[in-house]
Amino acid sequence: MNRRLITIIDYERLLALKELALLTTETSENVRKLYTELMHAHMLKPGYISENAITMNSRILLRELHTGRQIDLTITYPRDSNAMERRVSVFSEIGTALLGKLVGDRVSWKIKGREAHFEILEVLYQPEAVGHFNL
């Protein structure tokens, strides 16, 4: 398990959502996995996290390793997710795989019954990098 980077603010907000998420989400296994990994994450003040780290509300560019196809998406809180806008919940399999990872890391999750592997190419927007600490 690679150690994830997370801001203290993101950690506190996600911790506050834990019980409700475990009770209401269909992806409770993803939620359990995320919280297990967050317990071992390296927590930083928002102004000290690398601009290459995926934090909440970050927009990122990925490349699927098998096809070379590039996609961009945003990691959001569940209430802000919207598939049409490529805004994925942190509690989804995709969100769980990406939060706290760095540019250059490789991640995988299932898409349409098969395992898809991606490389993180770029963090296109990270709130902390531009001083947006309260998103």
Side-chain angles (χ1 to χ4, degrees), residues 61-105:
L61 180 65
L62 305 168
R63 179 175 56 89
E64 187 176 8
L65 297 175
H66 179 70
T67 65
R69 179 179 64 120
Q70 292 185 5
I71 59 168
D72 69 274
L73 51 84
T74 302
I75 305 299
T76 68
Y77 292 98
R79 69 180 179 273
D80 299 323
S81 65
N82 180 320
M84 297 299 292
E85 296 174 4
R86 289 186 293 233
R87 297 177 55 80
V88 299
S89 169
V90 67
F91 295 142
S92 69
E93 192 172 355
I94 299 168
T96 298
L98 290 168
L99 184 68
K101 297 296 186 171
L102 299 168
V103 169
D105 284 349

Side-chain angles (χ1 to χ4, degrees), residues 59-63 70-72 119-122 124:
R59 185 170 160 239
I60 56 177
L61 180 65
L62 305 168
R63 179 175 56 89
Q70 292 185 5
I71 59 168
D72 69 274
E119 179 181 5
I120 301 166
L121 297 178
E122 185 178 356
L124 301 168

Side-chain angles (χ1 to χ4, degrees), residues 18-29:
K18 181 180 180 181
E19 294 304 317
L20 182 61
L22 287 170
L23 292 174
T24 60
T25 184
E26 296 137 11
T27 58
S28 60
E29 189 57 40

Side-chain angles (χ1 to χ4, degrees), residues 8-36:
I8 293 168
I9 292 171
D10 286 350
Y11 178 82
E12 289 173 347
R13 288 178 180 164
L14 289 169
L15 198 58
L17 293 174
K18 181 180 180 181
E19 294 304 317
L20 182 61
L22 287 170
L23 292 174
T24 60
T25 184
E26 296 137 11
T27 58
S28 60
E29 189 57 40
N30 293 337
V31 174
R32 282 187 194 86
K33 178 182 176 189
L34 176 64
Y35 283 104
T36 298

